[in-house]
Amino acid sequence: MSVLVINEIKKLREIIKENRKEPKTIALVPTMGCLHEGHKSLIAKASSIADLTIVSVFVNPIQFCPGEDYDRYPRTLEADKDAAQSAGADIIFAPSVSEMYPNLQKFSDLTMVVPPYELTDIMCGKSRVGHFDGVETVVTKLFNIVQPDIACFGMKDIQQLFLIKKMVRDLNIPVEIIPCPLVREKNGLALSSRNKYLSDEDKVKALSISRSVFAIRDAYKAGIKETKKLFDTGLANLDKGVELEYLEFVDENTFKPVESVNQDTICAMAARVGNVRLIDNIILEV
Ligand code: AMP
């Protein structure tokens, strides 16, 4: 059966209600589309567990900061249908902005889900102020619309994954979050919809981001524990044409910065190649 594309919340709820008549496990994979092998790994994981796998494709305006790439973000629904279907999705939920936010022009009127400041004033949240408010709000809405038993999130967006797990705990949302490993190109580059923006020349520069996190992991394995030294190792591996936004070492259970790393430390980086912002991370145990 080919994947069903649904644009309306009411219609999706009707279909889910039908499916709920039998005891079925429902999975949700939230995405912004432009699906690649990273997204497909989440969909495959979801469909290996669930009876009904729903992939949302929605470029969520409220998680973009002013001046970011909301308008030019790649929208490729036709190709996404094939990708989602081949990975095992049953339904694509692709709502319009007005379907999700009927009153977006009055943005200040929207009820938001806001993660704790101390967990967003680091890493991606520091430069993307309000980004995680937008993420948590849309994910909460999607959870309420679909009411999934499980939801898959990628470890590529490691701070997002941490905050979603915490939100689900804090707000008693009845969904199990399944973390899925970061998928890379063979050469190491973390797969991202934003890689589409990169020219061949930029891709060579971007490769130095994964090179940098791998070098840090290797230095850690060779016995270096001090973040200051590991930071320098990372920096030394970055291409001159790459502008570092942050390179942080945090504990994977608390997301608090650490001075000396161990097997529970996440090394996370964001950097710009031209005007393209890319992220990568590695858990040092790997
Ligand atoms: P996005 O469409 O970028 O919002 O991502 C949707 C989901 O796919 C998020 O849970 C991401 O963490 C996940 N994802 C994106 N890229 C990758 C990747 N390279 N490996 C694993 N998961 C990914």
Side-chain angles (χ1 to χ4, degrees):
M1 215 182 76
S2 65
V3 72
L4 198 61
V5 180
I6 309 281
N7 307 111
E8 290 163 18
I9 295 169
K10 188 164 173 279
K11 179 95 187 124
L12 182 67
R13 281 193 163 140
E14 279 166 16
I15 291 174
I16 291 171
K17 202 168 169 191
E18 273 305 302
N19 275 279
R20 286 258 182 234
K21 285 187 180 150
E22 303 162 45
K24 277 193 173 174
T25 306
I26 296 181
L28 173 67
V29 182
T31 81
M32 295 207 300
C34 191
L35 302 182
H36 51 63
E37 291 300 322
H39 298 111
K40 284 171 75 176
S41 73
L42 271 56
I43 299 168
K45 178 71 183 175
S47 71
S48 75
I49 301 172
D51 303 303
L52 187 75
T53 298
I54 301 170
V55 177
S56 61
V57 171
F58 180 60
V59 184
N60 175 34
I62 67 165
Q63 71 184 68
F64 288 78
C65 302
E68 288 189 345
D69 57 345
Y70 173 68
D71 288 331
R72 69 166 180 147
Y73 197 85
R75 287 152 171 94
T76 59
L77 190 59
E78 279 311 308
D80 289 347
K81 284 185 205 168
D82 294 338
Q85 178 163 338
S86 68
D90 301 295
I91 296 176
I92 292 185
F93 175 51
S96 63
V97 171
S98 60
E99 181 72 3
M100 288 297 274
Y101 304 112
N103 211 4
L104 192 60
Q105 59 279 24
K106 273 189 84 188
F107 180 63
S108 58
D109 204 32
L110 186 66
T111 301
M112 301 284 288
V113 182
V114 180
Y117 178 73
E118 60 175 19
L119 293 173
T120 55
D121 190 35
I122 52 167
M123 296 167 57
C124 292
K126 201 173 176 88
S127 66
R128 305 189 75 190
V129 176
H131 165 69
F132 288 114
D133 303 1
V135 169
E136 294 213 338
T137 301
V138 79
V139 170
T140 302
K141 282 168 73 73
L142 290 167
F143 284 168
N144 285 333
I145 292 165
V146 174
Q147 302 188 351
D149 302 286
I150 64 164
C152 294
F153 287 85
M155 292 167 75
K156 154 98 186 323
D157 297 85
I158 198 80
Q159 189 176 15
Q160 168 176 284
L161 173 64
F162 181 84
L163 291 171
I164 297 285
K165 284 198 294 195
K166 180 169 168 52
M167 175 185 83
V168 162
R169 270 198 317 274
D170 287 355
L171 302 183
N172 305 93
I173 302 176
V175 61
E176 184 188 347
I177 303 300
I178 314 273
C180 299
L182 195 167
V183 178
R184 300 177 180 280
E185 282 185 10
K186 280 205 182 73
N187 59 19
L189 180 68
L191 290 180
S192 163
S193 304
R194 291 187 167 97
N195 291 352
K196 277 227 155 115
Y197 301 144
L198 299 170
S199 65
D200 288 346
E201 200 185 320
D202 285 345
K203 269 201 158 187
V204 174
K205 293 180 188 162
L207 257 183
S208 70
I209 297 174
S210 53
R211 191 165 69 226
S212 181
V213 296
F214 294 149
I216 289 170
R217 177 200 53 197
D218 294 346
Y220 164 70
K221 285 193 166 168
I224 300 177
K225 301 272 167 24
E226 264 175 80
T227 52
K228 167 91 187 64
K229 284 190 184 150
L230 293 170
F231 184 98
D232 292 343
T233 303
L235 209 56
N237 279 276
L238 264 193
D239 188 287
K240 295 271 176 295
V242 176
E243 187 195 336
L244 182 66
E245 181 185 302
Y246 70 75
L247 169 55
E248 294 197 31
F249 298 85
V250 296
D251 183 273
E252 76 170 325
N253 302 306
T254 62
F255 260 64
K256 296 271 179 271
V258 295
E259 277 180 15
S260 174
V261 307
N262 61 34
Q263 76 278 6
D264 294 333
T265 304
I266 294 168
C267 161
M269 182 187 286
R272 280 174 196 280
V273 181
N275 59 357
V276 184
R277 182 179 182 278
L278 299 170
I279 57 173
D280 202 337
N281 72 81
I282 203 158
I283 301 177
L284 291 179
E285 71 188 357
V286 181

